[in-house]
């Protein structure tokens, strides 16, 4: 088995262990596909990968497993939809959209999500003492009602490393979360390209 494939397998098992026990239910009353529903990114709008094209999955009700560890508690009271993306290697991404009743509620949700991401590193280390997690802020983006970009690096005691970029943006009463992830550290993160993707995601919501 190629080295990068073995590492990817270890990474998947690590994430699976961290999110074990999370409820995999679909929220009641989740939004259906309508003309007014928030729109999602397309594969071509993600940060370019040097050796593989992106493939987009179907829009699905619920919360992707990869976001549950950091955001599950902040999203418990909301219906949401998401879209997964993947390359032919270890790089993957996802977008989650939540539309609420008022702009004030959306602002409060965005604040909660940003806080949940900022504090996620500590929760990862508490849940798995064999994993070291580090958080980094990449600032804000002036788009619609605003967006904020975060970085999260994890390293297992046996050497496996993952880097994730996450952003939270808002347009009116809709909040979107975008995540990009692969093996590596902060130096491997395409921050400028991810900020461009985040700006596109927020502008594309409505």
């Amino acid at each position: 088995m190629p080295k990068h494939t073995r590492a990817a397998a270890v990474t998947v098992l690590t994430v699976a262990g961290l999110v074990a026990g999370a409820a995999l239910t679909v929220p009641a009353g989740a939004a259906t596909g309508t003309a007014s529903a928030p729109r999602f990114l397309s594969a071509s709008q993600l940060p370019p990968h040097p050796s593989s094209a992106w493939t987009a999955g179907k829009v699905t009700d619920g919360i992707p497993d990869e976001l549950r560890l950091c955001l599950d508690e902040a999203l418990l009271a909301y219906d949401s939809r998401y879209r997964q993306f993947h390359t032919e290697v270890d790089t993957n991404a996802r977008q989650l959209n939540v539309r609420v009743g008022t702009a004030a509620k959306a602002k409060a949700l965005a604040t909660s999500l940003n806080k949940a991401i900022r504090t996620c590193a500590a929760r990862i280390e508490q849940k798995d003492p064999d994993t070291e997690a580090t958080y980094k802020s990449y600032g804000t983006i002036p788009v619609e009602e605003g967006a904020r970009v975060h970085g999260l690096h994890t390293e297992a005691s046996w050497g496996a490393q993952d880097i994730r970029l996450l952003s939270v943006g808002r347009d009116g009463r809709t909040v979107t979360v975008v995540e990009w992830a692969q093996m590596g550290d902060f130096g491997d993160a395409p921050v400028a390209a991810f900020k461009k993707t985040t700006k596109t995601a927020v502008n594309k919501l409505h």
Side-chain angles (χ1 to χ4, degrees), residues 71-131:
L71 303 181
D72 206 17
E73 186 173 343
L75 291 167
L76 284 177
Y78 300 92
D79 294 338
S80 58
R81 309 188 83 205
Y82 69 93
R83 185 178 221 178
Q84 297 271 27
F85 304 86
H86 68 273
T87 64
E88 294 181 356
V89 287
D90 64 292
T91 310
N92 56 84
R94 55 213 48 89
Q95 180 185 10
L96 178 138
N97 288 339
V98 185
R99 192 173 191 185
V100 299
T102 66
K105 289 182 179 180
K107 182 179 180 180
L109 173 59
T111 298
S112 295
L113 291 171
N114 281 311
K115 181 179 179 180
I117 295 171
R118 288 195 303 269
T119 58
C120 190
R123 294 199 303 278
I124 289 173
E125 292 183 346
Q126 183 178 25
K127 195 173 184 70
D128 184 0
D130 289 328
T131 298

Side-chain angles (χ1 to χ4, degrees), residues 2-12 15 47 49-55 66 84-94 154 160-165 179-185 188-190:
K3 184 177 180 181
H4 75 275
T5 303
R6 290 199 302 271
V10 170
T11 299
V12 169
V15 173
H49 191 279
S51 64
S52 175
W54 286 95
T55 299
E66 295 86 349
Q84 297 271 27
F85 304 86
H86 68 273
T87 64
E88 294 181 356
V89 287
D90 64 292
T91 310
N92 56 84
R94 55 213 48 89
T154 56
Q161 297 188 65
D162 289 318
I163 180 64
R164 300 164 65 188
L165 295 176
E179 181 187 52
W180 170 98
Q182 71 171 33
M183 292 183 293
D185 56 26
D188 300 308

Side-chain angles (χ1 to χ4, degrees), residues 1 20 37 64 85 114 145 172 191:
M1 182 183 293
F85 304 86
N114 281 311
E145 276 69 60
V191 177

